[in-house]
Short mmCIF file of all heavy atoms in Angstrom, two decimals:
data_model
loop_
_atom_site.label_atom_id
_atom_site.label_comp_id
_atom_site.label_asym_id
_atom_site.label_seq_id
_atom_site.Cartn_x
_atom_site.Cartn_y
_atom_site.Cartn_z
N TYR M 330 -28.68 -5.65 22.06
CA TYR M 330 -28.55 -4.39 21.33
C TYR M 330 -29.61 -3.39 21.80
O TYR M 330 -29.32 -2.23 22.07
CB TYR M 330 -28.68 -4.68 19.83
CG TYR M 330 -28.79 -3.45 18.96
CD1 TYR M 330 -27.66 -2.76 18.55
CD2 TYR M 330 -30.04 -2.99 18.55
CE1 TYR M 330 -27.77 -1.62 17.76
CE2 TYR M 330 -30.16 -1.86 17.77
CZ TYR M 330 -29.03 -1.18 17.37
OH TYR M 330 -29.13 -0.07 16.59
N ALA M 331 -30.85 -3.89 21.93
CA ALA M 331 -31.95 -3.00 22.31
C ALA M 331 -31.69 -2.39 23.68
O ALA M 331 -31.89 -1.19 23.90
CB ALA M 331 -33.27 -3.79 22.31
N ALA M 333 -28.72 -2.01 25.17
CA ALA M 333 -27.57 -1.10 25.11
C ALA M 333 -28.00 0.26 24.58
O ALA M 333 -27.62 1.31 25.13
CB ALA M 333 -26.47 -1.69 24.22
N MET M 334 -28.80 0.25 23.53
CA MET M 334 -29.26 1.51 22.96
C MET M 334 -30.14 2.26 23.96
O MET M 334 -30.04 3.47 24.10
CB MET M 334 -30.05 1.26 21.66
CG MET M 334 -29.21 0.72 20.52
SD MET M 334 -27.77 1.74 20.09
CE MET M 334 -28.55 3.17 19.38
N SER M 335 -30.96 1.50 24.66
CA SER M 335 -31.89 2.13 25.59
C SER M 335 -31.16 2.70 26.81
O SER M 335 -31.40 3.84 27.20
CB SER M 335 -32.94 1.08 26.01
OG SER M 335 -33.56 1.47 27.19
N TYR M 337 -27.73 3.10 27.27
CA TYR M 337 -26.50 3.88 27.07
C TYR M 337 -26.52 4.73 25.80
O TYR M 337 -25.57 5.47 25.53
CB TYR M 337 -25.29 2.93 27.03
CG TYR M 337 -25.07 2.22 28.34
CD1 TYR M 337 -25.60 0.96 28.57
CD2 TYR M 337 -24.36 2.85 29.37
CE1 TYR M 337 -25.42 0.31 29.78
CE2 TYR M 337 -24.16 2.21 30.58
CZ TYR M 337 -24.69 0.94 30.78
OH TYR M 337 -24.51 0.31 31.99
N GLY M 338 -27.58 4.58 25.00
CA GLY M 338 -27.62 5.34 23.75
C GLY M 338 -26.48 4.97 22.82
O GLY M 338 -26.02 5.75 22.00
N SER M 339 -25.99 3.74 22.95
CA SER M 339 -24.81 3.33 22.19
C SER M 339 -24.86 1.83 21.98
O SER M 339 -25.31 1.09 22.86
CB SER M 339 -23.55 3.71 22.96
OG SER M 339 -22.42 3.08 22.39
N ASP M 340 -24.37 1.36 20.84
CA ASP M 340 -24.26 -0.08 20.65
C ASP M 340 -22.92 -0.61 21.15
O ASP M 340 -22.60 -1.77 21.00
CB ASP M 340 -24.49 -0.46 19.17
CG ASP M 340 -23.55 0.26 18.23
OD1 ASP M 340 -22.53 0.84 18.69
OD2 ASP M 340 -23.83 0.27 17.01
N LEU M 350 -29.04 6.47 30.46
CA LEU M 350 -30.16 7.22 29.90
C LEU M 350 -31.46 6.76 30.57
O LEU M 350 -31.70 5.56 30.69
CB LEU M 350 -30.26 6.98 28.39
CG LEU M 350 -29.33 7.77 27.49
CD1 LEU M 350 -27.87 7.54 27.83
CD2 LEU M 350 -29.57 7.42 26.02
N ASP M 352 -35.60 7.02 30.61
CA ASP M 352 -36.74 7.36 29.78
C ASP M 352 -37.80 8.02 30.65
O ASP M 352 -38.31 7.41 31.59
CB ASP M 352 -37.28 6.09 29.12
CG ASP M 352 -38.28 6.41 28.02
OD1 ASP M 352 -38.81 7.55 28.00
OD2 ASP M 352 -38.54 5.53 27.18
N ALA M 368 -42.76 15.62 21.12
CA ALA M 368 -41.82 14.55 20.75
C ALA M 368 -42.46 13.19 21.01
O ALA M 368 -42.40 12.29 20.17
CB ALA M 368 -40.52 14.69 21.53
N GLN M 371 -45.35 12.42 18.64
CA GLN M 371 -44.91 12.04 17.28
C GLN M 371 -44.17 10.69 17.25
O GLN M 371 -43.50 10.36 16.28
CB GLN M 371 -44.02 13.14 16.70
CG GLN M 371 -44.83 14.36 16.26
CD GLN M 371 -43.98 15.62 16.11
OE1 GLN M 371 -42.78 15.53 15.93
NE2 GLN M 371 -44.62 16.78 16.17
N GLY M 372 -44.24 9.97 18.36
CA GLY M 372 -43.65 8.63 18.36
C GLY M 372 -42.20 8.62 18.86
O GLY M 372 -41.54 7.59 18.83
N GLY M 373 -41.73 9.79 19.30
CA GLY M 373 -40.36 9.87 19.79
C GLY M 373 -40.29 9.62 21.29
O GLY M 373 -41.18 9.00 21.87
N GLN M 374 -39.21 10.10 21.87
CA GLN M 374 -38.95 9.86 23.29
C GLN M 374 -38.46 11.14 23.96
O GLN M 374 -37.94 12.03 23.30
CB GLN M 374 -37.79 8.87 23.45
CG GLN M 374 -38.08 7.43 23.11
CD GLN M 374 -36.83 6.60 23.28
OE1 GLN M 374 -35.73 7.07 22.96
NE2 GLN M 374 -36.98 5.38 23.77
N VAL M 375 -38.57 11.14 25.27
CA VAL M 375 -37.83 12.12 26.07
C VAL M 375 -36.99 11.33 27.07
O VAL M 375 -37.51 10.51 27.82
CB VAL M 375 -38.77 13.08 26.84
CG1 VAL M 375 -37.96 14.10 27.63
CG2 VAL M 375 -39.73 13.76 25.87
N LYS M 376 -35.68 11.56 27.02
CA LYS M 376 -34.80 10.88 27.97
C LYS M 376 -33.89 11.90 28.64
O LYS M 376 -33.67 13.00 28.11
CB LYS M 376 -33.95 9.82 27.26
CG LYS M 376 -34.75 8.58 26.86
CD LYS M 376 -33.79 7.50 26.34
CE LYS M 376 -34.47 6.14 26.35
NZ LYS M 376 -33.49 5.10 26.02
N ALA M 399 -24.45 18.48 21.52
CA ALA M 399 -25.56 17.56 21.25
C ALA M 399 -26.14 17.79 19.86
O ALA M 399 -26.61 16.86 19.19
CB ALA M 399 -26.64 17.70 22.31
N ALA M 400 -26.08 19.03 19.41
CA ALA M 400 -26.64 19.38 18.10
C ALA M 400 -25.89 18.65 16.99
O ALA M 400 -26.47 18.31 15.96
CB ALA M 400 -26.59 20.89 17.89
N ARG M 401 -24.58 18.38 17.20
CA ARG M 401 -23.81 17.64 16.20
C ARG M 401 -24.40 16.25 15.97
O ARG M 401 -24.18 15.64 14.93
CB ARG M 401 -22.37 17.47 16.67
CG ARG M 401 -21.56 18.74 16.57
CD ARG M 401 -20.10 18.46 16.87
NE ARG M 401 -19.59 19.43 17.82
CZ ARG M 401 -18.60 19.22 18.68
NH1 ARG M 401 -18.00 18.02 18.71
NH2 ARG M 401 -18.20 20.15 19.49
N TYR M 402 -25.10 15.75 16.97
CA TYR M 402 -25.71 14.42 16.85
C TYR M 402 -27.18 14.53 16.48
O TYR M 402 -27.93 13.58 16.61
CB TYR M 402 -25.53 13.64 18.15
CG TYR M 402 -24.07 13.41 18.43
CD1 TYR M 402 -23.30 14.36 19.10
CD2 TYR M 402 -23.42 12.26 17.97
CE1 TYR M 402 -21.95 14.18 19.31
CE2 TYR M 402 -22.07 12.06 18.18
CZ TYR M 402 -21.33 13.03 18.86
OH TYR M 402 -19.99 12.85 19.07
N GLY M 403 -27.60 15.73 16.07
CA GLY M 403 -28.95 15.88 15.54
C GLY M 403 -29.96 16.43 16.53
O GLY M 403 -31.11 16.66 16.16
N ALA M 404 -29.55 16.62 17.80
CA ALA M 404 -30.52 17.10 18.78
C ALA M 404 -30.85 18.57 18.51
O ALA M 404 -29.96 19.40 18.39
CB ALA M 404 -29.97 16.93 20.20
N LYS M 405 -32.15 18.86 18.45
CA LYS M 405 -32.55 20.25 18.17
C LYS M 405 -32.39 21.14 19.40
O LYS M 405 -32.33 22.36 19.28
CB LYS M 405 -33.99 20.26 17.67
CG LYS M 405 -34.11 19.71 16.23
CD LYS M 405 -35.51 19.78 15.68
CE LYS M 405 -36.44 18.75 16.31
NZ LYS M 405 -36.13 17.35 15.90
N VAL M 448 -33.00 15.22 26.25
CA VAL M 448 -33.19 15.36 24.80
C VAL M 448 -34.53 14.73 24.44
O VAL M 448 -34.87 13.64 24.92
CB VAL M 448 -32.06 14.71 23.99
CG1 VAL M 448 -32.37 14.74 22.48
CG2 VAL M 448 -30.73 15.42 24.25
N ALA M 449 -35.29 15.44 23.64
CA ALA M 449 -36.61 14.98 23.19
C ALA M 449 -36.59 14.95 21.68
O ALA M 449 -36.40 15.99 21.04
CB ALA M 449 -37.70 15.93 23.69
N ASP M 450 -36.74 13.75 21.11
CA ASP M 450 -36.63 13.67 19.64
C ASP M 450 -37.00 12.27 19.19
O ASP M 450 -37.50 11.49 19.99
CB ASP M 450 -35.19 14.02 19.22
CG ASP M 450 -35.15 14.80 17.91
OD1 ASP M 450 -35.76 14.33 16.93
OD2 ASP M 450 -34.50 15.87 17.89
N LYS M 451 -36.74 11.96 17.92
CA LYS M 451 -36.84 10.58 17.46
C LYS M 451 -35.93 9.71 18.32
O LYS M 451 -34.86 10.17 18.76
CB LYS M 451 -36.31 10.42 16.02
CG LYS M 451 -37.07 11.14 14.96
CD LYS M 451 -36.73 10.54 13.59
CE LYS M 451 -35.24 10.69 13.25
NZ LYS M 451 -34.99 10.38 11.83
N ASN M 452 -36.28 8.44 18.50
CA ASN M 452 -35.49 7.58 19.37
C ASN M 452 -34.00 7.56 19.00
O ASN M 452 -33.13 7.60 19.87
CB ASN M 452 -36.00 6.13 19.32
CG ASN M 452 -37.42 6.03 19.84
OD1 ASN M 452 -38.06 7.06 20.10
ND2 ASN M 452 -37.92 4.81 20.00
N SER M 453 -33.71 7.51 17.70
CA SER M 453 -32.31 7.36 17.29
C SER M 453 -31.50 8.62 17.65
O SER M 453 -30.35 8.52 18.07
CB SER M 453 -32.22 7.07 15.79
OG SER M 453 -32.76 8.15 15.05
N ILE M 454 -32.13 9.79 17.50
CA ILE M 454 -31.41 11.02 17.83
C ILE M 454 -31.24 11.14 19.34
O ILE M 454 -30.17 11.53 19.84
CB ILE M 454 -32.14 12.25 17.24
CG1 ILE M 454 -31.96 12.23 15.71
CG2 ILE M 454 -31.61 13.55 17.84
CD1 ILE M 454 -32.67 13.35 14.98
N VAL M 455 -32.26 10.77 20.09
CA VAL M 455 -32.14 10.79 21.55
C VAL M 455 -30.95 9.93 21.99
O VAL M 455 -30.12 10.34 22.79
CB VAL M 455 -33.45 10.30 22.21
CG1 VAL M 455 -33.25 10.12 23.72
CG2 VAL M 455 -34.59 11.27 21.93
N ALA M 456 -30.88 8.73 21.40
CA ALA M 456 -29.80 7.81 21.77
C ALA M 456 -28.44 8.39 21.39
O ALA M 456 -27.52 8.44 22.23
CB ALA M 456 -30.01 6.46 21.08
N ASP M 457 -28.31 8.84 20.16
CA ASP M 457 -27.01 9.35 19.70
C ASP M 457 -26.56 10.54 20.54
O ASP M 457 -25.41 10.61 20.99
CB ASP M 457 -27.10 9.79 18.24
CG ASP M 457 -27.17 8.61 17.28
OD1 ASP M 457 -27.06 7.46 17.76
OD2 ASP M 457 -27.35 8.83 16.07
N ALA M 458 -27.47 11.50 20.74
CA ALA M 458 -27.08 12.75 21.40
C ALA M 458 -26.79 12.50 22.88
O ALA M 458 -25.75 12.91 23.40
CB ALA M 458 -28.17 13.80 21.22
N LEU M 459 -27.70 11.81 23.57
CA LEU M 459 -27.47 11.60 25.00
C LEU M 459 -26.32 10.60 25.22
O LEU M 459 -25.58 10.72 26.19
CB LEU M 459 -28.75 11.10 25.69
CG LEU M 459 -29.76 12.18 26.07
CD1 LEU M 459 -30.93 11.56 26.83
CD2 LEU M 459 -29.12 13.28 26.94
N GLY M 460 -26.19 9.62 24.31
CA GLY M 460 -25.07 8.67 24.41
C GLY M 460 -23.74 9.41 24.33
O GLY M 460 -22.82 9.16 25.13
N ALA M 461 -23.63 10.35 23.40
CA ALA M 461 -22.39 11.11 23.23
C ALA M 461 -22.17 12.05 24.41
O ALA M 461 -21.05 12.18 24.93
CB ALA M 461 -22.43 11.88 21.92
N LEU M 462 -23.25 12.68 24.86
CA LEU M 462 -23.14 13.59 26.01
C LEU M 462 -22.69 12.84 27.26
O LEU M 462 -21.88 13.34 28.04
CB LEU M 462 -24.51 14.21 26.31
CG LEU M 462 -24.75 15.63 25.84
CD1 LEU M 462 -26.13 16.07 26.34
CD2 LEU M 462 -23.68 16.59 26.36
N GLU M 490 -30.56 -3.15 8.27
CA GLU M 490 -30.77 -1.73 8.58
C GLU M 490 -31.31 -1.04 7.33
O GLU M 490 -30.75 -1.22 6.24
CB GLU M 490 -29.44 -1.07 8.96
CG GLU M 490 -29.03 -1.33 10.39
CD GLU M 490 -27.61 -0.88 10.66
OE1 GLU M 490 -26.91 -0.45 9.70
OE2 GLU M 490 -27.17 -0.99 11.82
N TYR M 491 -32.32 -0.25 7.52
CA TYR M 491 -32.91 0.43 6.37
C TYR M 491 -32.16 1.72 6.09
O TYR M 491 -31.86 2.49 7.01
CB TYR M 491 -34.38 0.74 6.64
CG TYR M 491 -35.12 1.19 5.40
CD1 TYR M 491 -35.45 0.28 4.39
CD2 TYR M 491 -35.47 2.52 5.23
CE1 TYR M 491 -36.11 0.69 3.25
CE2 TYR M 491 -36.14 2.94 4.08
CZ TYR M 491 -36.46 2.02 3.10
OH TYR M 491 -37.10 2.43 1.96
N GLU M 493 -32.50 5.18 4.44
CA GLU M 493 -33.54 6.08 3.92
C GLU M 493 -33.15 6.59 2.53
O GLU M 493 -33.96 6.63 1.60
CB GLU M 493 -33.71 7.32 4.83
CG GLU M 493 -34.02 7.02 6.28
CD GLU M 493 -35.53 6.94 6.54
OE1 GLU M 493 -36.29 7.32 5.64
OE2 GLU M 493 -35.91 6.47 7.64
#
Side-chain angles (χ1 to χ4, degrees):
Chain M
Y330 170 83
M334 293 305 290
S335 161
Y337 296 94
S339 168
D340 56 15
L350 279 58
D352 192 341
Q371 285 161 22
Q374 287 178 323
V375 182
K376 287 188 162 187
R401 286 188 228 152
Y402 297 86
K405 287 183 287 290
V448 174
D450 216 308
K451 295 198 298 192
N452 297 8
S453 62
I454 289 178
V455 171
D457 287 355
L459 278 184
L462 258 184
E490 280 170 355
Y491 191 73
E493 304 270 349

